Amino acid sequence: MADFRLVRDEGLRWVRASDKASRGFCALCGSSLFWKPDGRDRMSFSPAAVDGPTGLVTGHHIFMDEAGDYYRVSDGTPHYPGDDEA
């Protein structure tokens, strides 16, 4: 997180998502922006929160065993049944 720099925090609110993590969201539009696990020096963020090109690519899909039958991803990216840190 040492390289993370928040440019603007207007509307940013944090809430307890569970007994393990907090979520940051925009109180103005409702967008989910961040997920921060307790006691760890890392934070996940929504790529949509980044202005401009990100250069990001999908590493894997999670919770595919819980997806509706209408939701199919066939981009060749690995599917995992769940995420042990969720």
Side-chain angles (χ1 to χ4, degrees):
M1 286 194 20
D3 294 328
F4 176 75
R5 183 174 65 97
L6 185 63
V7 176
R8 192 168 139 198
D9 67 356
E10 178 183 351
L12 179 61
R13 302 290 184 272
W14 287 93
V15 296
R16 292 297 301 166
S18 69
D19 61 346
K20 299 178 183 180
S22 295
R23 289 195 181 274
F25 73 97
C26 176
L28 304 175
C29 72
S31 295
S32 179
L33 302 171
F34 305 106
W35 181 81
K36 174 135 180 37
D38 295 341
R40 300 183 98 173
D41 188 31
R42 70 180 186 96
M43 178 171 52
S44 297
F45 67 94
S46 171
V50 177
D51 291 334
T54 66
L56 299 172
V57 296
T58 301
H60 64 270
H61 299 287
I62 60 172
F63 302 110
M64 294 305 296
D65 59 337
E66 298 175 18
D69 61 357
Y70 53 85
Y71 186 73
R72 295 290 172 248
V73 176
S74 57
D75 61 3
T77 304
H79 293 183
Y80 297 109
D83 185 343
D84 62 354
E85 294 181 11

